[in-house]
Amino acid sequence: MRIAVVGGGPAGLYFALLMKRDWPELDVTVFERNQPDDTFGFGVVFSDQTLDTFKAADPASYGAIVDNFAYWDDIEIRFKDTVHRIPGNGFCGCSRRSLLMLVQERCRQLGVTLKFGEEVAGIETLKRDFDLVVAADGINSAIREGWRERFRPQVDLRPNKFTWMGSTRPFDAFTFFFKETDHGLFIAHCYQYEAGRSTWVLETDPETFAKAGLAEMDEAASAAFLEEVFAEELQGHRLVTNRSLWRSFPMIRCERWVSENVVLIGDAKATAHFSIGSGTKLAMEDAIALHRAFGAAKLDVAQALALFERTRREEVEKTQHAADVSLVWFEQLGRFWGFDPLRFAFGLMTRSKAITYDNLALRAPGFVAALDRLVAAELGPDARLRKDGLPLPPAFQPFRLREMQIENRMVLSPMCQYSAQEGMPTDWHLMHYGSRAIGGPGLVFTEMTCVAADARITSGCTGLYTDVQEAAWTRIVDFVHANSAAKFCLQLGHAGRKGATKLMWDGMDRPLDDGAWPIISASPLPYYPESQVPREMTRADMDRVRDEFVAAAGRGERAGFDMLELHCAHGYLLASFLSPLTNRRSDEYGGSVENRLRYPLEVFRALREAWPREKPISVRISATDWKEGGLSPEDSVAIAAAFAQEGCDLVDVSTGQTVMDSRPIYGRMFQTPYSDRIRNEARVATMCVGNITTADQVNTIVASGRADLVALGRPHLADPSFVLRAAAWYGVDVPQPVQYQPGKDQLMRNTPREREELTELKLKAKPGRHAAAQ
């Protein structure tokens, strides 16, 4: 087999050596347009976990790498006048040039043909002359661009500007510097990669870049300017340039990585932002995965390439997602500039979701203990303390909305049960809400409860528009209050164009085959092509629906609910006014975001006037429609701020479900960044939701200032005692009915022992295992 590897970077060279090592009979040639000792940039970064992967893949090159790296265990954050140092991270820095030289030498030892300083033939010639063509030719891949119609790349050029420089200043930790100047904010990502050499990645936002005039400066002038900005941090050392051009980071994704006998690897197929240090890691792990695929396929090219793309894509996309979240944190740095430095440092450490509260408690217990004290201090006399005077973790601290105090930050998310009879909740709902409330959440939400019979999503949806419904809800509210410490929130909504549909398990959002009732919406647009076309609301409809909301709220007050939520999300009636995808009106209720807000705000004002002043009201919104042309981030902030100005106490931040062809990007805590933005830009309390599954994540979200409350749905469906178990894990006492006290006692006895055993195992596997190899 003849193999052409286009690109002599880490990915291409590593794949070549692995293939030649295991199948010496292969003809493997690496083509590199630059000379063997040419390199751009300074150092590369690998984690302990990545080094383990290299060790398993090729011990010989691993040994050469660890003999030539600078190792550090700490991350140091210098923000304003503070320094926070977090141990236990286990990273190494290695000169990019040294890495290339080492891997080149390993290739030569194994018999790989290395051709430097020459341009390769066109893709058609390569795929004809070689059995396999591996495109490892980087971000500006000629092969990818030559076959754009096949690989279908998408490139998102991010707004921040950055440049790579070097210095002779030594470091003993990966260090972040944050500097405020007259021009704006600057960031330096710094690490040592060999004795007397360190990498400095300098980053700033486009406004600061323009104000500082950096676009008009050459390399030398840029370096001189940045030496002034970071004069204190450089400690007398100079910045060094090496094609240190200012640029914007390209987020690259390809719909396909393989076409015929050609495969993309490394930056040619996918990029990961430098802020998580995973570019070279991803590239070399691509090489390892591709090599393994050839082993599994017994050198069958077609099978190996298909296997590579099928098995590797998920891991790459997970890393890209973490990198994307990280880069957005740096892009939106101004949002966090006013944070307490401790919370700022915690937010930086947890930005990509790979590191959490519990994880940091193992690495840096003093840091996390200080954070607990900060959260408690902000609450003043409301803060909860242990018997020894230490504060409870953030997830178990109370939160106040008007005169209502919620005992912890974990919330039973509103989840439709589709089990009502003529809008009336049944014994199912008594069991559902009662058992979850006993399990310990601070706040329980009803499912979307409809304000009229024709406001229902399905025939199984609950309502609050008759006396019998009011009586049924009163029974449930009384049970929750009598048997738990949970507060109970009534969520009111109107289905709009998503009404008269089947039960979830019979075809979610699909229209009823018979028995459908007429539906209304902001505009006459069906949800699915086969869905019923809603009638565009008239002013008379608006008056009627507004009054139905007010009447339902009155019933909710008599039933004893502690709080009210207005549902303006997920494409339902009020949401259909807010989104430009569903509001095509030409009157005063359509067009600008201010006009689209007009009717939902009218309903909210009426509710706020009718609902008791001492009781809070929240609003649920979809912060993005996950579709081009939908709600923008600026729209969402403006919408939240408008509701807050009218007396909204909490914005319940969800996303999507506005149109049937939306394309959400799922992942852990995937909707939390939208809550973060609204909370810290609109300056309103928020509740986040969406694939949040652990109390550890709740601690992380609350402590970092991304949300004030955290709603969990599926975890509560699977375990009604989710909060009780979390409380046992952290050694926190939560109320339980006397009937359940023996179970609680056993849980409180056994769980600390289990946690201690698990902690010991984690500490044994703590990063730092490669340090002695220096």
Side-chain angles (χ1 to χ4, degrees):
M1 181 193 300
R2 299 189 69 214
I3 300 175
V5 178
V6 182
L13 290 169
Y14 206 59
F15 175 72
L17 78 83
L18 293 174
M19 293 297 286
K20 191 67 175 175
R21 182 198 66 191
D22 289 352
W23 296 282
E25 71 278 10
L26 298 180
D27 180 351
V28 183
T29 304
V30 176
F31 298 92
E32 170 55 52
R33 65 188 303 179
N34 296 305
Q35 295 303 315
D37 57 350
D38 287 344
T39 187
F40 309 108
F42 297 90
V44 295
V45 179
F46 298 124
S47 67
D48 269 326
Q49 184 179 15
T50 302
L51 291 174
D52 283 340
T53 302
F54 295 166
K55 185 176 183 179
D58 186 51
S61 57
Y62 162 81
I65 291 170
V66 297
D67 285 341
N68 288 272
F69 67 32
Y71 193 90
W72 66 86
D73 193 53
D74 297 351
I75 290 177
E76 188 169 284
I77 301 164
R78 291 181 172 263
F79 174 66
K80 297 184 178 178
D81 295 324
T82 67
V83 179
H84 291 96
R85 196 174 178 101
I86 295 91
N89 294 282
F91 282 92
C92 79
C94 179
S95 162
R96 179 176 172 83
R97 183 179 184 279
S98 296
L99 176 65
L100 290 175
M101 295 295 101
L102 293 169
V103 183
Q104 286 174 19
E105 181 57 28
R106 179 78 171 125
C107 284
R108 291 189 185 96
Q109 292 170 0
L110 293 167
V112 175
T113 302
L114 303 178
K115 294 190 175 182
F116 294 97
E118 65 178 72
E119 297 288 344
V120 296
I123 183 62
E124 295 294 338
T125 302
L126 283 169
K127 77 179 185 67
R128 182 194 66 213
D129 294 346
F130 290 88
D131 301 293
L132 171 67
V133 179
V134 179
D137 49 345
I139 284 177
N140 299 313
S141 171
I143 291 178
R144 182 194 67 226
E145 293 304 301
W147 269 7
R148 286 187 64 87
E149 76 286 354
R150 299 192 182 204
F151 297 118
R152 294 193 281 276
Q154 295 178 339
V155 181
D156 179 7
L157 212 57
R158 302 304 300 178
N160 269 16
K161 300 292 184 180
F162 74 96
T163 182
W164 290 74
M165 293 187 182
S167 176
T168 53
R169 191 210 140 156
F171 287 96
D172 62 353
F174 192 112
T175 303
F176 292 100
F177 296 115
F178 298 90
K179 295 285 287 191
E180 186 171 22
T181 72
D182 292 340
H183 305 292
L185 304 179
F186 286 90
I187 312 161
H189 312 239
C190 305
Y191 57 91
Q192 185 165 315
Y193 60 87
E194 63 182 31
R197 294 287 185 272
S198 55
T199 293
W200 289 61
V201 186
L202 294 314
E203 181 180 6
T204 191
D205 59 83
E207 294 77 19
T208 302
F209 183 80
K211 192 174 180 182
L214 285 161
E216 289 74 44
M217 298 182 194
D218 60 15
E219 284 183 82
S222 285
F225 174 85
L226 291 167
E227 283 175 349
E228 289 187 24
V229 172
F230 293 101
E232 179 183 355
E233 291 74 17
L234 282 162
Q235 298 180 348
H237 295 264
R238 303 294 302 275
L239 287 174
V240 180
T241 61
N242 180 0
R243 289 193 64 182
S244 302
L245 307 176
W246 286 98
R247 50 202 150 134
S248 297
F249 185 81
M251 286 168 48
I252 297 174
R253 288 175 169 81
C254 290
E255 190 173 320
R256 296 181 60 191
W257 298 350
V258 172
S259 182
E260 298 183 37
N261 63 336
V262 180
V263 58
L264 306 177
I265 67 172
D267 285 347
K269 65 157 184 39
T271 57
H273 192 249
F274 55 81
S275 62
I276 67 167
S278 288
T280 306
K281 158 193 152 68
L282 272 182
M284 294 179 72
E285 289 179 350
D286 281 351
I288 294 169
L290 184 57
H291 162 258
R292 287 176 180 166
F294 271 95
K298 297 180 171 55
L299 296 184
D300 182 288
V301 172
Q303 288 185 28
L305 297 188
L307 180 63
F308 167 70
E309 181 157 10
R310 185 170 67 251
T311 58
R312 178 69 178 145
R313 185 174 282 276
E314 181 180 356
E315 184 62 31
V316 169
E317 290 180 348
K318 281 169 57 179
T319 302
Q320 280 193 294
H321 178 69
D324 294 350
V325 174
S326 176
L327 76 86
V328 169
W329 191 92
F330 287 100
E331 288 174 354
Q332 298 172 349
L333 181 64
R335 183 194 303 170
F336 315 115
W337 200 257
F339 274 22
D340 180 277
L342 183 62
R343 174 165 284 129
F344 180 92
F346 182 79
L348 172 62
M349 290 298 299
T350 59
R351 68 194 181 280
S352 70
K353 301 181 288 188
I355 295 174
T356 62
Y357 175 93
D358 280 1
N359 188 277
L360 279 174
L362 284 175
R363 303 181 188 205
F367 177 75
V368 172
L371 186 74
D372 287 347
R373 292 193 296 272
L374 172 66
V375 174
E378 291 173 341
L379 294 171
D382 287 341
R384 297 287 188 261
L385 305 178
R386 301 181 189 273
K387 292 180 180 178
D388 60 6
L390 296 176
L392 298 184
F396 291 94
Q397 291 292 355
F399 187 67
R400 185 174 294 276
L401 292 169
R402 296 199 179 220
E403 298 302 313
M404 183 185 80
Q405 180 160 289
I406 303 163
E407 290 305 309
N408 61 63
R409 305 303 181 96
M410 287 169 280
V411 177
L412 173 68
S413 186
M415 294 173 287
C416 288
Q417 298 296 292
Y418 304 109
S419 301
Q421 296 176 357
E422 299 298 327
M424 189 174 76
T426 65
D427 286 349
W428 176 267
H429 298 85
L430 176 67
M431 177 280 302
H432 173 66
Y433 295 113
S435 62
R436 272 74 191 169
I438 288 171
L443 180 62
V444 170
F445 273 74
T446 70
E447 61 195 272
M448 186 176 97
T449 301
C450 302
V451 298
D454 64 354
R456 292 174 298 163
I457 311 166
T458 74
S459 60
C461 289
T462 59
L464 192 46
Y465 46 86
T466 70
D467 292 342
V468 291
Q469 293 165 357
E470 182 180 325
W473 277 118
T474 301
R475 177 182 178 226
I476 296 170
V477 174
D478 287 347
F479 182 91
V480 167
H481 285 159
N483 295 283
S484 79
K487 297 299 189 292
F488 209 170
C489 180
L490 169 64
Q491 187 190 73
L492 292 178
H494 190 301
R497 72 179 190 143
K498 296 174 79 173
T501 58
K502 296 179 180 180
L503 302 179
M504 178 182 68
W505 41 84
D506 292 333
M508 188 171 182
D509 295 328
R510 295 291 176 177
L512 289 169
D513 297 324
D514 53 63
W517 50 89
I519 57 176
I520 55 176
S521 189
S523 298
L525 303 171
Y527 187 72
Y528 286 109
E530 68 271 23
S531 295
Q532 183 184 165
V533 178
R535 177 171 55 81
E536 181 171 291
M537 287 185 78
T538 64
R539 184 59 250 184
D541 293 325
M542 294 180 193
D543 292 342
R544 174 178 59 83
V545 170
R546 179 201 61 215
D547 294 345
E548 288 170 346
F549 271 98
V550 171
R555 292 183 180 277
E557 162 62 8
R558 291 194 295 272
F561 283 102
D562 304 291
M563 178 177 169
L564 188 67
E565 176 162 283
L566 178 63
H567 201 323
C568 295
H570 300 167
Y572 297 125
L573 181 67
L574 298 179
S576 72
F577 278 86
L578 294 175
S579 173
L581 298 176
T582 51
N583 185 338
R584 305 290 176 80
R585 300 177 73 102
S586 57
D587 60 6
E588 66 269 32
Y589 299 99
S592 68
V593 67
E594 293 78 13
N595 282 359
R596 301 197 309 271
L597 260 165
R598 192 182 301 270
Y599 182 60
L601 280 178
E602 178 184 328
V603 175
F604 179 83
R605 288 191 199 100
L607 288 176
R608 184 66 273 180
E609 184 176 345
W611 190 245
R613 183 170 297 277
E614 71 275 10
K615 291 187 176 184
I617 303 182
S618 59
V619 175
R620 180 170 240 197
I621 68 170
S622 287
T624 178
D625 296 319
W626 296 111
K627 183 176 172 64
E628 188 175 352
L631 286 166
S632 69
E634 292 75 19
D635 283 347
S636 299
V637 171
I639 288 167
F643 279 115
Q645 188 173 0
E646 295 293 337
C648 173
D649 303 290
L650 178 81
V651 177
D652 177 359
V653 184
S654 187
T655 65
Q657 303 179 52
T658 306
V659 291
M660 50 80 61
D661 57 345
S662 62
R663 293 293 179 266
I665 301 174
Y666 295 109
R668 286 174 300 160
M669 303 178 275
F670 74 105
Q671 295 177 143
T672 302
Y674 297 95
S675 167
D676 185 343
R677 182 165 193 157
I678 287 171
R679 181 183 187 273
N680 294 304
E681 291 187 12
R683 304 298 178 186
V684 60
T686 61
M687 181 170 78
C688 65
V689 64
N691 206 8
I692 300 165
T693 58
T694 68
D696 176 26
Q697 292 172 347
V698 177
N699 280 320
T700 305
I701 291 166
V702 173
S704 60
R706 296 181 173 114
D708 300 282
L709 296 173
V710 179
L712 304 100
R714 289 174 176 84
H716 273 121
L717 291 181
D719 184 2
S721 296
F722 173 88
V723 176
L724 175 62
R725 293 184 191 281
W729 182 259
Y730 291 102
V732 175
D733 187 38
V734 294
Q736 280 284 283
V738 293
Q739 299 93 324
Y740 286 178
Q741 192 65 42
K744 173 187 171 182
D745 291 344
Q746 183 183 64
L747 196 63
M748 297 299 286
R749 283 194 307 271
N750 294 343
T751 305
R753 185 165 56 249
E754 295 170 3
R755 180 175 183 176
E756 184 177 336
E757 292 170 355
L758 184 60
T759 299
E760 288 178 2
L761 289 173
K762 288 182 176 179
L763 287 172
K764 288 177 182 177
K766 181 182 175 182
R769 53 193 173 272
H770 298 270
Q774 294 183 84

